[in-house]
Amino acid sequence: MRPGLASLTNVSFRPYNFPGYSGYYIRHRNGELYIHPYSTNTLFLNDATFRLVAPFNPYPE
């Protein structure tokens, strides 16, 4: 997990189990996740930035 590429208050992810992919990030496209090389393209930066939220719990205590 790294500081967000599009926003430092969010996070971006690098693939951990692919050592040869050091310049790559996980991004979403059409509801699916992909490993893509880093790009300064605004669409890529937004697609590779995620917001951490609390998990949904339908049965709060």
Side-chain angles (χ1 to χ4, degrees):
M1 187 166 47
R2 303 274 193 253
L5 296 174
S7 171
L8 296 178
T9 59
N10 296 319
V11 296
S12 292
F13 298 96
R14 306 257 315 259
Y16 176 78
N17 56 336
F18 293 95
Y21 286 74
S22 62
Y24 286 67
Y25 282 85
I26 297 172
R27 72 181 285 194
H28 74 86
R29 184 176 65 194
N30 297 325
E32 297 180 353
L33 297 175
Y34 296 90
I35 298 173
H36 276 244
Y38 175 79
S39 171
T40 57
N41 178 306
T42 303
L43 180 61
F44 170 83
L45 297 176
N46 288 328
D47 286 353
T49 302
F50 300 86
R51 182 178 51 166
L52 293 178
V53 296
F56 174 72
N57 181 1
Y59 306 106
E61 294 180 12

